[in-house]
Amino acid sequence: GKHFSAGADVNWFKELAVADSDYKLQASTWTTTAMRSLHEFPKPTVALVQNACMGGGTGYAAACDIVVASEDARFSISEVRLGITPAPILVQCLMAMGLRQVRRYAITGEIFDVHAALRMGLVHEVCGIGELEQAAAPIVDALLLSGPQAITDTKRMTLRIADALMSDELVQELALTSAAGRDTEEGVEGFTAFLEKRKPSWYVGGE
């Protein structure tokens, strides 16, 4: 495809705003559980990122063990621009980028380029446009040379030592926080402004 991930479908967010509470929570639980599952997946995970990697896409990349990105890759933790929290991806972004960087980018929704992502630690390696598979090939070969069970054990122990395993209670809290923001006045205005390609009503800056 043209992009790694343009993020979640904002039209779906707008549908969630008028859905019942149980469905809102179920939708947020799906997202949060998917991120947890990728983050803790027992086998090696490699993300090959090209062009846009926005919102949840940045979370997917952050949840992977290894990220290779091409020169055209750009990233954003963009949820706040829609008036919602990036709760389902915060753990993964914090682990990959560090607290100091997430404190900036998760509250501004700014887009940052591949070289900024490399400096932060979100990306491990940068390659030319159209060269992702070639750049990843030696990494994949290195993984294939490593013992499968040793990889699984090492990955699990690394996450445990770093206190990076997500508890069921934390997953539930993240899902509840995400679901609660779907039908707020701010959330609805955020989705609407995005779809109408205009600034949200809370914006008081210059053009």
Side-chain angles (χ1 to χ4, degrees):
K2 185 178 179 182
H3 302 281
F4 179 77
S5 174
D9 183 351
V10 177
N11 282 300
W12 183 57
F13 283 171
K14 200 161 186 181
E15 289 175 21
L16 284 175
V18 295
D20 64 63
S21 297
D22 288 343
Y23 185 71
K24 283 189 186 74
L25 179 56
Q26 182 63 66
S28 292
T29 301
W30 286 333
T31 304
T32 306
T33 302
M35 289 295 172
R36 178 194 197 182
S37 298
L38 180 58
H39 177 65
E40 299 180 6
F41 194 68
K43 304 300 181 185
T45 53
V46 182
L48 305 182
V49 180
Q50 63 179 349
N51 221 323
C53 183
M54 305 296 171
T58 299
Y60 282 126
C64 287
D65 299 315
I66 301 164
V67 179
V68 180
S70 55
E71 287 280 357
D72 60 350
R74 59 194 191 280
F75 304 80
S76 176
I77 305 171
S78 54
E79 285 80 353
V80 290
R81 295 288 179 98
L82 300 175
I84 60 175
T85 72
I89 65 171
L90 276 178
V91 170
Q92 292 76 25
C93 288
L94 282 165
M95 293 295 169
M97 297 166 60
L99 175 60
R100 192 65 179 159
Q101 301 301 338
V102 172
R103 282 180 65 148
R104 172 179 176 173
Y105 290 101
I107 65 172
T108 64
E110 292 172 275
I111 294 173
F112 52 96
D113 67 18
V114 71
H115 297 290
L118 181 67
R119 289 194 300 272
M120 291 178 208
L122 176 61
V123 167
H124 292 96
E125 191 169 321
V126 178
C127 67
I129 297 171
E131 298 175 3
L132 281 169
E133 290 190 9
Q134 301 95 304
I139 297 172
V140 173
D141 195 55
L143 290 169
L144 294 173
L145 284 167
S146 303
Q149 189 60 50
I151 286 176
T152 296
D153 293 345
T154 300
K155 182 171 178 177
R156 184 74 179 177
M157 185 167 285
T158 299
L159 291 173
R160 183 173 62 80
I161 292 170
D163 198 24
L165 294 170
M166 298 172 65
S167 68
D168 293 340
E169 291 76 18
L170 177 57
V171 170
Q172 182 71 3
E173 181 182 351
L174 294 171
L176 284 167
T177 301
S178 177
R182 302 298 186 191
D183 60 354
T184 63
E185 182 178 339
E186 188 170 291
V188 172
E189 168 60 12
F191 309 149
T192 304
F194 178 86
L195 292 170
E196 293 179 355
K197 295 180 171 47
R198 61 172 174 80
K199 297 286 194 304
S201 61
W202 61 74
Y203 180 69
V204 294
E207 289 299 325

